[in-house]
Amino acid sequence: NPSMIHRNLSYQELFEHEKANDEGVVANAEYGETFAVDTGKYTGRSPKDKWVVLNPGSESAENIDWNDINQPCEPWVFDELYDKAVEHFNTLDRCYVFDCYVGASPNSRRKVRFVHEMAWQQHFVTNMFIRPETTEELNNFEPDFVVINCCSQEDTEWKRHKLHSETAAVFNVEKSKAVIFGTWYGGENKKGVFSLMNYWLPLSEPAQFPMHCSANVGKDGDVALFFGLSGTGKTTLSADPHRALIGDDEHGWDEDGIYNFEGGCYAKTINLTEQTEPDIYKAIKTDALLENVKLVDDMSPDYFDVTKTENGRVSYPIFHIPNYHKPQMAGHPENIIFLSCDAFGVLPPVAKLSSGEAMYHFLSGYTAKVAGTERGIIEPQATFSTCFGAAFMTLHPTVYADLLQKKLDTHGTHTYLVNSGWSGGAYGEGERMSIKTTRTCIDAILDGSIQHTEFKKDPVFGFEVPVHLDGVDPGVLDIRSTWSDPEEYDVQAKKLAKMYADNFKKYEGKGSVDYTKFGPRI
């Protein structure tokens, strides 16, 4: 047993521990002193080191979509690592325990306990998850799942364990426990739990829909969801001065509506300025936590210096955003926006999708991987990530698509594709669309004005593209016209369409509906 267990410390206590333990430094951020840490060699998730225990004959063995994301490992491997983690914690002078809810909806939330070596890691999960409000809740806290984060230790037996490296994050659904070795990156805690929610919710009664999306709500209660991979603008675009933020990354959709899984935000800091991202910039103050951000001589953060990583991050409690939606729950969504960052310069800035096209694009999850969110990605490359979050989908993608289809049909939600990528040519030739163009397209969706404009069917992709939108250059809406050689655009569009079709072959005949016919015409 560690000689001292620090449970559910307050922000002030965590700050004192972080300084006393020398776990990082205090940055002089413009809006208040902020603790800053360096996570070592891992500045992003390590997807090849995430494992799920295959317990023969169990419910999870039957339901999990075993693949190179949900990689199976044997029960004895988990048992050895779990024992090693417990043994390690028993040698420590102190450890940190945090009890939290995942999910703002009392009917749907899960209870998770984190055990950490470092105060800053407890700080991270305190920012990111939902803090029980009363002493009574904490005293009677019985976790549904326990994560033991043994970040300072490595799995030296990884070859015998048939794992990928000395780093390992291993989840055992039946034992309701996980262990993490060899990585200090905060995001492993967050995304591991998200994968669990993606397993639990669709199998609950009635089935619920877990989503990798951000969400906000207007003054009249109209909810919008923003799906997109890291780097497509999901966090940025949901932070809207005229709307209240429900959450920036992970949500559930149950019988009552939308609810946030988390109690905080985890935003990228690359090139951050108060002008471009006022909400995020001002959220960096006492109680926020900076990861892998360069500090200059006067200890102020330099968000433009990415020598350490392009994936510098800040986590902060959601109440640092002035117009956050206090209940963290809202009704059924009016609009769903699929965000893409098209490195090929083919997709228009905005397109309206039919219900079938929505399923096709949801299962495709096309974007470009943008530098910094994973190790080894230096410049954008085209990728298809199903459900806009393949790395976290524990069940077969068609399970989530069928759930979404049912929700759209029941609630009459409108769906759009918004591309924040390149126009006038591919990456390296064209230019990234301005955030102003993207925001204007989104404003037109949210205020409903897009529904009253004229649309033109895209000859290759089949979706409807607006001919005119107030505040958007009509030339940009007609993406082909932005290329100096329109015929070169046609070649590129066919190339991208073929990539969509090739990727989609794996869903032909799967799930309750075959959505292949809603894809591009080749």
Side-chain angles (χ1 to χ4, degrees), residues 2 77 87 120 166 197 203 220 222 254 270 282 289 300 323 335 388 416 418 472:
V77 173
E87 232 167 78
W120 83 255
E166 68 287 340
M197 293 298 273
L203 299 176
D220 301 328
D222 57 298
D254 63 12
I270 183 171
K282 289 177 184 167
L289 179 68
S300 64
N323 60 333
N335 293 296
F388 292 94
Y416 299 89
V418 170
V472 179

Side-chain angles (χ1 to χ4, degrees), residues 380-394:
Q381 61 185 46
T383 186
F384 291 90
S385 183
T386 192
C387 311
F388 292 94
F392 322 115
M393 299 302 144
T394 333

Side-chain angles (χ1 to χ4, degrees), residues 158-178:
W158 65 273
K159 286 186 175 158
R160 183 171 66 84
H161 289 154
K162 301 183 190 132
L163 301 184
H164 174 258
S165 77
E166 68 287 340
T167 297
V170 187
F171 293 79
N172 193 324
V173 173
E174 273 69 34
K175 289 201 169 170
S176 303
K177 290 184 175 71

Side-chain angles (χ1 to χ4, degrees), residues 257-270:
I258 299 301
Y259 61 95
N260 194 355
F261 283 171
E262 302 185 297
C265 303
Y266 195 37
K268 293 177 71 143
T269 54
I270 183 171

Side-chain angles (χ1 to χ4, degrees), residues 213-214 216 226 228-240 245 247-249 265-268 277 279-280 313-314 316 321 339 439:
C213 70
S214 56
N216 64 25
F226 299 79
L229 290 177
S230 194
T232 55
K234 192 162 74 326
T235 301
T236 308
L237 295 164
S238 55
D240 182 325
L245 181 72
D248 82 330
D249 196 42
C265 303
Y266 195 37
K268 293 177 71 143
E277 304 273 11
D279 281 351
I280 296 170
R313 293 268 179 170
V314 60
Y316 48 86
I321 297 284
L339 295 166
R439 276 206 184 276

Side-chain angles (χ1 to χ4, degrees), residues 320-363:
H320 278 201
I321 297 284
N323 60 333
Y324 85 102
H325 185 60
K326 284 192 178 60
Q328 291 288 279
M329 298 186 283
H332 300 288
E334 187 90 3
N335 293 296
I336 291 179
I337 294 165
F338 295 151
L339 295 166
S340 190
C341 167
D342 176 26
F344 290 101
V346 167
L347 297 180
V350 60
K352 185 169 73 170
L353 305 175
S354 68
S355 168
E357 286 165 349
M359 290 312 103
Y360 185 91
H361 286 275
F362 177 69
L363 280 169

Side-chain angles (χ1 to χ4, degrees), residues 101-119:
Y101 296 125
V102 185
S105 164
N107 299 328
S108 308
R109 68 189 178 201
R110 295 292 194 274
K111 293 188 276 190
V112 175
R113 171 169 291 160
F114 286 95
V115 182
H116 283 122
E117 297 177 71
M118 321 275 285

